[in-house]
Amino acid sequence: MHEVVNNKRGPSKKPFVFYAIIAMLVIMLLNALVFPSMLKRSVIEVGYDQFLEMIDNDQVKQVSYDSYSGQFVFIAGDENSEMIYKTGIWPEDGQRLLQQLMEHEDIQFSATIPTQTSPLLSFILTWILPILFFFLIGEIGYRWMRKRMNDQLPGGMSNAMSFGKSGAKIYVADAKTGVTFDNVAGQDEAKESLVEVVDYLHDPKKYAAIGAKLPKGVLLVGPPGTGKTLLAKAVAGEADVPFFSISGSEFVEMFVGMGAAKVRDLFKQANEKAPCIVFIDEIDAIGQKRNTGGIGGNDEREQTLNQLLAEMDGFDGQKGVVLLAATNRPESLDPALLRPGRFDRRVPVELPDLQGRKAILTVHAKDIKVAPDINWDVIARATAGASGAELANIINEAALRAVREGRKAVVQADLEESVETVIAGAQRKNAVISDQEKKIVAYHEIGHALVAAKQSHSAPVTKITIVPRTSGALGYTMQVDEGEHMLMSRTELLNKIATLTGGRSAEELIFGEDNMTTGASNDIEQATKLARAMITRYGMTKEFDMVALETVQNQYLGGDASLACAADTASKIDERVVAIVKAAHEKARKILQENESQLHKLATHLLEQETITGEEFMALLHE
Ligand code: ADP
Ligand code: ZN
């Protein structure tokens, strides 16, 4: 959704190559075919006899000899109708002819005679005409492409009309049929901050009377799929005003200057339809920080951004045009965009919490038939970290599964299955997997679960399976936190790392160290990340105390972090990371050793059943 479109600069060079090739071809063609015959026509070829005759008749005015072709070129005729002639001679006649020419004193003997009719005409023919010609072709080509591009822009159909050059889609939503705040579940804080905008759009005059200025621009900030577009539509729906929507990437076009023109056009449209909402999705595509100095700046994008800034400053804040924009990378935006009078209000749209997820699930469940005894709480708990879009997808997958299984309504199992489909990848029941591999996976998964269960602070296990997923995982242990978990203590983190090493520990214990498998790669990655974060970000070690050793660059997209410390410190951090993981691994191994009989019992049961629930697991454990 948020791909940046710098790569669109590539194709913009194409037309120039295209024009140049056309121009070259035209000039070559003209030179080869048209001009020579035109120029030749202005020179009349005559026989040698005739030449001599014309000399005798005193018609010849000027003569020159072209040694290259061995021909005489001469001008003859009376005052008003002088023409250029050309003739060949016998080589042995040369001497005699020269003598004859000398005798006629009124014949000028010059070095060259211009064979063109007029230098001006030839200039026009060889230069001006081709240039005009290829400009014409270029212009036609440009218009044609632009038209084709406009046709291709999405939203040219149904209730969304493509609008002129801007390509913005306009939805005229009304409160009864369109999206309202009721369709947006969970985002209570975001909705609260947008209520004012709705009120303003309802009655801009009320605000104008007092002289209150509402923000021209509101920036919706949050990860993909959290309902930013939905919220913007809901604001328009609640206020009963037209809704223009365009994506930032659509501004950055093939042709230089198009982006700025689109912005201009969009604001013109919006002004005509005011009060209205203009929604710019993925504003980071055009709103990235501009290059200060340096080479390789994206002029096109900067021009578009400058135009956007100019338009925002230009439009009358009291007319009722409100700009909403969405981004998941607010820190990459140009500061000029965030200045007062522009996008000076920021509304966070976060991933939903437990209650939010439950609300979103129920909103979307209204569109499908569900059994009356669905436990939404269980589903919401199992989907921690899922976005609104993913939750909507889960409901849809469940409905599809119900249809496949020939049911009249969606049941709990459908939902639970689709949680796994959407979150962990679909089940791959008939995949070929050897019994030995199955056994290893079973011990591995029980290893995780057993270590988790034996540590008081670890979340209880809800489901263990050795049915492979299409995502490539051969099995997995699903842990569900009891409540929403925002803070994790040091102990919990350490326990979690131990749990992650539990899978490999079980493999080592049962099959021997030489038979450890690659199945733990994901566990290793997660454990390392956690251990590193404990040191560099959470300040949980004595050595480094509360010193930030890493800076998180992007809190919305996975949180890429980069080290901010000396190389010496970095190697010390690495040592600490190894120590933490090692200690956790040791702990896990010890837990499993002490409970080896239970490990065997549980793994055997899992091998038979393939999937066991948390309750089954706990019952067996405490038998
Ligand atoms: P974004 O613009 O943040 O990437 P969208 O608004 O396009 O996300 O959300 C995609 C879809 O996900 C919506 O059309 C809606 O079906 C669903 N969705 C996301 N968040 C919510 C929410 N809070 N309530 C209801 N549905 C939601
Ligand atoms: Zn594992």
Side-chain angles (χ1 to χ4, degrees):
M1 266 202 100
H2 47 267
E3 280 307 304
V4 190
V5 283
N6 284 346
N7 58 354
K8 280 213 174 166
R9 261 180 79 70
S12 73
K13 280 181 186 131
K14 245 190 207 153
F16 287 103
V17 177
F18 180 67
Y19 294 153
I21 289 174
I22 287 183
M24 296 268 283
L25 282 177
V26 167
I27 289 178
M28 273 160 61
L29 263 171
L30 288 178
N31 278 340
L33 302 174
V34 185
F35 293 143
S37 61
M38 279 174 110
L39 297 177
K40 256 181 215 148
R41 219 176 294 144
S42 63
V43 179
I44 302 162
E45 288 198 46
V46 292
Y48 183 46
D49 293 351
Q50 216 178 326
F51 178 42
L52 295 179
E53 201 176 300
M54 282 165 113
I55 292 173
D56 286 339
N57 294 347
D58 283 342
Q59 281 175 310
V60 177
K61 302 271 156 48
Q62 210 177 326
V63 177
S64 83
Y65 179 66
D66 181 359
S67 60
Y68 177 70
S69 62
Q71 285 182 322
F72 277 93
V73 180
F74 61 97
I75 296 176
D78 51 50
E79 230 50 3
N80 308 319
S81 60
E82 280 184 358
M83 302 284 265
I84 300 172
Y85 298 88
K86 207 157 89 173
T87 182
I89 59 164
W90 309 115
E92 58 268 27
D93 278 357
Q95 202 63 31
R96 201 161 55 91
L97 182 67
L98 275 175
Q99 218 162 359
Q100 202 173 347
L101 285 172
M102 298 296 194
E103 283 163 19
H104 287 264
E105 277 171 17
D106 49 344
I107 294 180
Q108 236 183 307
F109 203 86
S110 68
T112 51
I113 286 177
T115 50
Q116 288 102 332
T117 35
S118 138
L120 184 69
L121 183 63
S122 97
F123 179 73
I124 290 173
L125 286 177
T126 49
W127 287 103
I128 307 289
L129 213 66
I131 288 174
L132 279 179
F133 188 67
F134 87 72
F135 261 114
L136 203 76
I137 287 188
E139 184 65 22
I140 290 168
Y142 171 73
R143 269 163 205 246
W144 173 74
M145 275 195 185
R146 209 165 83 168
K147 184 169 173 296
R148 208 186 50 167
M149 251 169 15
N150 269 346
D151 293 347
Q152 275 177 352
L153 285 173
M157 327 136 250
S158 68
N159 67 328
M161 299 186 281
S162 190
F163 241 81
K165 277 174 280 169
S166 76
K169 288 156 276 175
I170 170 170
Y171 295 90
V172 187
D174 69 81
K176 278 164 241 115
T177 59
V179 180
T180 69
F181 278 153
D182 288 341
N183 296 93
V184 190
Q187 301 289 359
D188 292 337
E189 282 162 46
K191 277 194 260 183
E192 228 165 76
S193 13
L194 290 170
V195 163
E196 203 185 357
V197 175
V198 173
D199 190 49
Y200 167 71
L201 286 169
H202 260 310
D203 192 3
K205 288 194 198 81
K206 187 170 83 186
Y207 287 78
I210 299 181
K213 280 199 193 90
L214 220 79
K216 286 178 184 172
V218 179
L219 194 62
L220 303 170
V221 178
T226 44
K228 298 183 289 296
T229 312
L230 199 64
L231 269 168
K233 274 187 195 162
V235 171
E238 289 281 338
D240 209 355
V241 298
F243 175 75
F244 291 86
S245 140
I246 191 163
S247 168
S249 55
E250 282 169 40
F251 281 121
V252 190
E253 281 293 348
M254 249 189 174
F255 296 104
V256 176
M258 283 288 284
K262 275 194 168 187
V263 172
R264 218 173 301 129
D265 199 59
L266 175 65
F267 277 85
K268 212 177 113 217
Q269 297 287 348
N271 262 321
E272 282 162 14
K273 288 265 189 295
C276 68
I277 298 252
V278 175
F279 177 65
I280 304 178
D281 203 359
E282 303 167 53
I283 195 166
D284 35 286
I286 47 166
Q288 267 174 47
K289 285 191 184 75
R290 282 167 293 187
N291 261 15
T292 42
I295 36 167
N298 189 335
D299 290 346
E300 168 66 348
R301 197 172 49 68
E302 282 175 19
Q303 265 180 33
T304 310
L305 175 56
N306 288 337
Q307 185 67 35
L308 178 64
L309 295 175
E311 292 288 348
M312 283 194 83
D313 292 342
F315 80 72
D316 181 2
Q318 311 212 310
K319 215 171 162 189
V321 179
V322 173
L323 220 62
L324 298 181
T327 181
N328 45 32
R329 309 191 308 164
E331 70 289 326
S332 77
L333 291 180
D334 196 291
L337 260 180
L338 309 175
R339 252 171 239 148
R342 291 167 183 166
F343 288 101
D344 48 7
R345 191 176 284 195
R346 187 184 278 221
V347 174
V349 187
E350 299 290 354
L351 286 172
D353 59 6
L354 182 64
Q355 291 310 317
R357 290 200 301 275
K358 218 162 132 182
I360 293 172
L361 285 169
T362 19
V363 159
H364 285 278
K366 278 190 195 127
D367 302 335
I368 59 165
K369 277 212 177 70
V370 287
D373 59 344
I374 299 279
N375 188 343
W376 291 111
D377 202 56
V378 170
I379 308 299
R381 276 182 196 283
T383 47
S387 69
E390 278 165 333
L391 292 170
N393 195 14
I394 284 171
I395 297 283
N396 190 46
E397 282 289 330
L400 288 177
R401 185 171 186 268
V403 173
R404 267 203 305 274
E405 313 258 301
R407 269 192 281 279
K408 289 254 159 29
V410 169
V411 297
Q412 187 84 14
D414 295 327
L415 285 162
E416 279 172 11
E417 183 73 15
S418 69
V419 167
E420 286 168 26
T421 316
V422 172
I423 291 181
Q427 285 194 357
R428 205 168 43 146
K429 283 219 169 82
N430 46 5
V432 191
I433 170 169
S434 74
D435 283 349
Q436 177 62 17
E437 275 177 331
K438 241 181 180 168
K439 200 171 161 191
I440 294 171
V441 175
Y443 274 98
H444 179 107
E445 297 305 331
I446 294 294
H448 283 307
L450 202 53
V451 173
K454 291 287 171 187
Q455 297 176 118
S456 51
H457 288 280
S458 287
V461 174
T462 57
K463 180 171 178 176
I464 309 167
T465 175
I466 54 168
V467 177
R469 320 265 119 191
T470 42
S471 66
L474 292 176
Y476 81 118
T477 303
M478 205 155 114
Q479 287 190 327
V480 173
D481 295 341
E482 270 302 327
E484 272 306 296
H485 227 64
M486 291 316 232
L487 291 172
M488 275 183 101
S489 70
R490 186 166 186 272
T491 316
E492 282 171 321
L493 281 169
L494 288 173
N495 286 352
K496 190 154 186 201
I497 296 172
T499 301
L500 284 166
T501 60
R504 165 64 65 80
S505 303
E507 287 182 44
E508 286 168 343
L509 189 67
I510 306 299
F511 305 100
E513 290 206 2
D514 291 338
N515 295 316
M516 60 171 73
T517 67
T518 52
S521 63
N522 189 21
D523 302 334
I524 290 169
E525 197 181 317
Q526 283 192 50
T528 313
K529 244 191 210 155
L530 275 180
R532 180 170 285 276
M534 281 178 73
I535 302 164
T536 60
R537 285 166 57 194
Y538 306 140
M540 287 180 174
T541 49
K542 288 224 168 57
E543 293 100 308
F544 300 107
D545 208 61
M546 288 179 61
V547 174
L549 298 167
E550 248 177 18
T551 46
V552 179
Q553 242 129 40
N554 186 335
Q555 57 172 321
Y556 288 108
L557 285 180
D560 294 336
S562 63
L563 276 181
C565 61
D568 190 34
T569 318
S571 67
K572 276 195 199 127
I573 293 171
D574 290 339
E575 277 167 30
R576 277 305 299 163
V577 172
V578 174
I580 290 176
V581 175
K582 243 185 181 161
H585 190 177
E586 204 50 56
K587 184 179 172 195
R589 225 166 1 208
K590 209 163 140 249
I591 291 175
L592 292 178
Q593 259 161 5
E594 283 163 7
N595 299 283
E596 202 176 329
S597 61
Q598 274 165 320
L599 177 60
H600 280 299
K601 185 172 72 183
L602 287 160
T604 313
H605 187 73
L606 179 60
L607 253 178
E608 275 165 21
Q609 303 290 317
E610 293 206 338
T611 304
I612 57 174
T613 65
E615 286 96 59
E616 269 181 273
F617 177 85
M618 289 319 249
L620 271 169
L621 189 63
H622 296 300
E623 223 170 43

